[in-house]
Amino acid sequence: MKKVIHTDNAPKAVGPYSQAVQMGDFLFCSGQISIDPKTNEVFTGDIRTQTEMVMRNIDAVLSAAGMNFGNIIKTTIFITNMSDFVTVNEVYAKAFKEAPPARSTVAVAGLPKGVSVEIEVIAHR
């Protein structure tokens, strides 16, 4: 049975989608961008800070479903500039000290709200 996951500790959806949907033991999380959930302000500054914000937002959604970064089995990273790849990797790696999930990284022409990075995850209980 499909269960919608929502938390006020992550940004509200900026369109007609859920923060995450749980189906059985799987959690499918919508892409997170650098929006501060407390103020709903979008941060488009340096890529390190954007990525840190994205990872905090992912953590909040996972927590709302009773999961953590250890439950993630697949991630997709979207970035607008491949020259940011190294910095995004440095921040991302802090969440996955052992057995990191499968991952794809894709350069895109643009992302919502003018941000430079978006990350979506799939987790399993």
Side-chain angles (χ1 to χ4, degrees):
M1 178 182 217
K2 178 172 123 175
K3 177 182 177 186
V4 172
I5 303 297
H6 172 78
T7 177
D8 290 334
N9 295 323
K12 296 179 178 107
V14 297
Y17 61 87
S18 301
Q19 290 172 327
V21 173
Q22 187 170 340
M23 183 65 116
D25 288 336
F26 286 93
L27 183 69
F28 300 88
C29 299
S30 296
Q32 287 293 322
I33 61 174
S34 52
I35 296 177
D36 183 331
K38 293 181 181 90
T39 64
N40 212 34
E41 293 291 318
V42 179
F43 179 80
T44 57
D46 72 277
I47 192 66
R48 180 173 304 281
T49 302
Q50 282 191 50
T51 308
E52 290 167 350
M53 292 176 75
V54 167
M55 297 302 280
R56 281 193 301 273
N57 291 339
I58 290 169
D59 185 45
V61 174
L62 289 168
S63 294
M67 295 187 193
N68 59 46
F69 284 104
N71 294 101
I72 295 175
I73 57 174
K74 172 70 169 83
T75 65
T76 305
I77 300 175
F78 304 95
I79 55 178
T80 57
N81 190 335
M82 269 300 177
S83 66
D84 291 330
F85 184 80
V86 171
T87 304
V88 170
N89 252 353
E90 287 172 2
V91 175
Y92 175 94
K94 292 176 186 175
F96 303 107
K97 305 226 184 303
E98 293 179 13
R103 183 181 98 180
S104 302
T105 302
V106 182
V108 295
L111 289 167
K113 306 284 187 184
V115 299
S116 301
V117 61
E118 178 175 358
I119 302 174
E120 67 178 27
V121 305
I122 299 171
H124 184 264
R125 187 173 313 283

